[in-house]
Amino acid sequence: MKNTLSVDRQSNQLYKQIYDYILNRIERSEWKEHDKLPSIRTLAQEMNVHRLTVFKAYQLLKQNGKVYVKDKSGYHVHPDSCVPFEHLDYPIVSSYFLRNHLSEIHQVPATYQFSQALIDPNLLPNLYFSEYVKKVFDLYPKVLGTYSTVQGDEELREALSCYFLKRHQLHLSADEILITSGAQQAIDLISRILVKPNDTVLLERPTYSAAIDIFRQQGAHIVPIDIYPGGYDLEQVESCMRQYKPRLFYLNPTFQNPTGYTVPPEQRKRLVELAEQYRCLLVEDDPFHDAYFDREPPLPLFTYDTEGWVMYIRSFSKYVAPGLRIAAVASRPPLMRSLLTAKSLSDNGTPLLNQKIFLHYFSSARLQQHLEKLRIALHIRKGIMEEELAVTDWKWISPKGGLNLWIKLPETIPMEELLIKSIEQSVSFVPGILCDPLRESASWIRLSYSYANEQQLHDGVQRLINLSRSLASSESK
């Protein structure tokens, strides 16, 4: 075996680099179930590290159920760590187990689309929107002939500065706002400027699947923080901050994706205090803030920040104008300077035309009318999905906003088979394992009620239930 691992020998957690290296080779099937792994001595020589370092890595792998010890025969790959290969030619199942990559699910055409947390295009004011496109070309006839600045159109940033002050009491100058091409780009830029290999990052469990992929790509050591209907266990949060000294905590505290949970105001204030105390940046992702049903959600964590320990990502892609891909990042200097450098290397600025179109629609009275109608439509569609699911013994907590239901299925339903059969029946959903940093939520699924129309919700959920029942019945025989 040739040493393909580049290690940071100055790190005091070198064994975790060895751990990640071994686990990566297991997950890529270079070592298969029950295969004997290299001895501690052999691996230490090949990695040019101390044997104790390799021993600690193997012990952690054993503790996490990735390897087992056979008497007088060393360490072997635990079968539960391996991918079932019967379906590796099936791209969606391959994604589900190997890459944990949500986009593979989204690329599959489905009549009953429950995997996309997007708004049904028929719920958007398309005719009015086209009028604003024409208006932009009248106001800015040369808009296609120039780039935006890297930070984003100043007129739009000024408008957002006023909006944040009026709506959320956020005191921001236009210079403290960066326009990005969607929230996912914002997360990626933040990860690039803040996270180096083996830096610790706290992530909610479960959380937004793409965020898991982004921080893994940076080589982060991910520590999960459980989220509950009532928020977090703040003792767990403080303990992890104290023990791991994380670079950041990525969180989605308002109608959280995928659970729909909302963190209460008193916890938000305390989280900011903990961030200041333990010098852990809070990266607050807020894509669903206006998608509430009864009452507005609590103010963002950024409201409580006075020392620059919160970065706030506000996406407008989900329900204002998905095709424009507009999001804003609010940050205090000097982090904004680093963000601008990363943004310039990424795309040198979000398209100016998109920003100008969004600016004039966002500033219109029509937008508020649209949001009021949209909230009613989403509430109705959530009710339809829950009504259809009521005949099952599946468990979920009804959210007060957002676009998703986070559902616990009986363990008798084989998730891999349900995913395959559902795709064959043109029904898509997100397996919970994609949203779990530990990859263990095998009995959970995320169903989005926002993209399918009302009839598709009725028919598609019934189809999914029937498939699950037939699979559960066959498993019990």
Side-chain angles (χ1 to χ4, degrees):
M1 180 183 68
K2 186 178 180 181
N3 178 3
T4 59
L5 174 66
S6 175
V7 295
D8 177 8
R9 301 186 185 281
Q10 303 302 313
S11 171
N12 59 3
Q13 293 186 324
L14 185 58
Y15 74 97
K16 288 185 178 177
Q17 298 179 55
I18 307 296
Y19 171 95
D20 290 338
Y21 168 75
I22 297 169
L23 183 58
N24 180 261
R25 294 195 64 177
I26 292 173
E27 290 179 341
R28 286 187 295 156
S29 305
E30 293 180 29
W31 289 317
K32 299 178 174 58
E33 62 179 77
H34 303 298
D35 276 0
K36 186 179 185 302
L37 297 173
S39 68
I40 292 173
R41 181 190 297 273
T42 299
L43 196 55
Q45 289 176 344
E46 291 174 347
M47 297 293 103
N48 193 25
V49 296
H50 196 280
R51 279 179 287 175
L52 182 59
T53 302
V54 177
F55 175 73
K56 288 176 68 176
Y58 271 142
Q59 286 298 103
L60 185 58
L61 286 161
K62 179 184 174 185
Q63 177 184 326
N64 292 341
K66 306 302 181 182
V67 304
Y68 67 94
V69 178
K70 188 182 293 185
D71 285 346
K72 299 181 181 180
S73 183
Y75 292 90
H76 295 254
V77 178
H78 198 289
D80 289 347
S81 301
C82 297
V83 179
F85 286 94
E86 309 93 280
H87 303 291
L88 282 185
D89 57 339
Y90 205 103
I92 299 307
V93 178
S94 173
S95 161
Y96 171 36
F97 284 104
L98 290 178
R99 291 185 295 276
N100 198 18
H101 197 64
L102 189 60
S103 68
E104 293 279 348
I105 300 287
H106 287 166
Q107 288 170 22
V108 176
T111 303
Y112 308 103
Q113 181 58 263
F114 303 144
S115 66
Q116 296 254 30
L118 292 175
I119 300 297
D120 176 2
N122 293 314
L123 293 178
L124 299 174
N126 299 300
L127 179 61
Y128 288 92
F129 197 74
S130 66
E131 292 176 0
Y132 280 97
V133 174
K134 297 173 186 175
K135 182 179 179 180
V136 165
F137 279 105
D138 290 338
L139 290 171
Y140 311 98
K142 299 179 181 179
V143 69
L144 292 180
T146 185
Y147 288 138
S148 166
T149 62
V150 171
Q151 190 159 1
D153 178 57
E154 185 174 3
E155 190 179 11
L156 174 57
R157 289 186 285 115
E158 290 284 0
L160 289 174
S161 174
C162 295
Y163 167 81
F164 287 137
L165 177 61
K166 182 179 179 180
R167 287 293 305 277
H168 306 311
Q169 292 88 60
L170 300 182
H171 294 272
L172 284 165
S173 71
D175 289 339
E176 294 174 312
I177 296 173
L178 166 68
I179 306 301
T180 64
S181 300
Q184 190 165 318
Q185 185 188 49
I187 300 167
D188 183 58
L189 295 177
I190 291 168
S191 75
R192 290 192 208 174
I193 67 170
L194 291 173
V195 179
K196 303 186 299 297
N198 295 297
D199 280 346
T200 296
V201 169
L202 304 184
L203 294 185
E204 295 165 323
R205 183 178 184 234
T207 191
Y208 176 40
S209 173
I212 300 174
D213 292 340
I214 287 169
F215 289 114
R216 278 188 180 147
Q217 182 69 27
Q218 290 300 115
H221 170 226
I222 294 174
V223 173
I225 299 293
D226 297 314
I227 185 167
Y228 305 97
Y232 311 109
D233 177 347
L234 291 182
E235 290 185 1
Q236 181 195 19
V237 174
E238 183 169 10
S239 174
C240 288
M241 286 186 177
R242 184 190 305 113
Q243 177 181 353
Y244 295 104
K245 298 178 175 55
R247 292 284 289 168
L248 61 87
F249 180 8
Y250 168 81
L251 64 170
N252 173 202
T254 304
F255 310 131
Q256 197 252 6
N257 180 7
T259 65
Y261 304 156
T262 295
V263 176
E266 60 274 13
Q267 285 201 11
R268 294 174 182 235
K269 184 176 181 181
R270 179 59 180 152
L271 281 165
V272 175
E273 292 172 351
L274 290 172
E276 293 177 5
Q277 180 180 348
Y278 293 100
R279 305 181 67 79
C280 171
L281 186 74
L282 302 180
V283 178
E284 179 181 9
D285 191 4
D286 195 7
F288 306 121
H289 199 97
D290 288 320
Y292 57 87
F293 302 140
D294 300 319
R295 66 183 67 173
E296 288 195 47
L299 293 172
L301 278 74
F302 195 84
T303 310
Y304 303 100
D305 180 40
T306 59
E307 302 295 327
W309 288 102
V310 182
M311 296 180 79
Y312 181 59
I313 304 171
R314 182 63 173 272
S315 172
F316 303 95
S317 294
K318 295 292 186 184
Y319 47 82
V320 177
L324 295 181
R325 300 289 293 152
I326 296 293
V329 183
S331 174
R332 310 298 186 187
L335 287 177
M336 179 56 74
R337 291 192 289 272
S338 298
L339 274 175
L340 290 176
T341 300
K343 174 69 170 169
S344 69
L345 293 171
S346 176
D347 61 11
N348 211 31
T350 298
L352 182 59
L353 175 60
N354 292 15
Q355 295 182 67
K356 289 298 190 184
I357 293 171
F358 174 79
L359 166 66
H360 287 276
Y361 179 54
F362 185 72
S363 304
S364 70
R366 175 62 189 171
L367 175 64
Q368 295 308 313
Q369 298 170 11
H370 159 62
L371 289 177
E372 290 174 9
K373 292 179 180 179
L374 180 61
R375 284 191 280 266
I376 294 171
L378 290 175
H379 200 181
I380 291 171
R381 294 188 183 200
K382 184 196 75 159
I384 291 172
M385 179 171 277
E386 291 182 320
E387 180 183 345
E388 294 294 343
L389 292 170
V391 301
T392 71
D393 57 352
W394 301 0
K395 296 178 174 60
W396 70 95
I397 293 177
S398 186
K400 303 298 183 183
L403 311 182
N404 307 303
L405 293 184
W406 180 241
I407 304 171
K408 177 74 163 63
L409 275 59
E411 294 182 0
T412 53
I413 299 174
M415 188 60 64
E416 179 190 345
E417 292 298 318
L418 180 61
L419 181 61
I420 294 169
K421 296 295 184 183
S422 295
I423 290 167
E424 290 174 352
Q425 293 292 315
S426 204
V427 178
S428 69
F429 64 86
V430 176
I433 197 169
L434 269 69
C435 305
D436 184 356
L438 300 181
R439 305 182 186 181
E440 294 175 356
S441 299
S443 296
W444 293 83
I445 64 172
R446 191 194 79 179
L447 295 182
S448 299
Y449 47 77
S450 55
Y451 194 79
N453 63 38
E454 295 180 16
Q455 190 59 51
Q456 289 170 335
L457 285 168
H458 284 294
D459 298 343
V461 174
Q462 289 176 14
R463 186 173 292 200
L464 180 63
I465 292 170
N466 291 336
L467 284 170
S468 69
R469 285 173 172 168
S470 65
L471 288 171
S473 175
S474 63
E475 283 287 305
S476 63
K477 291 180 181 178

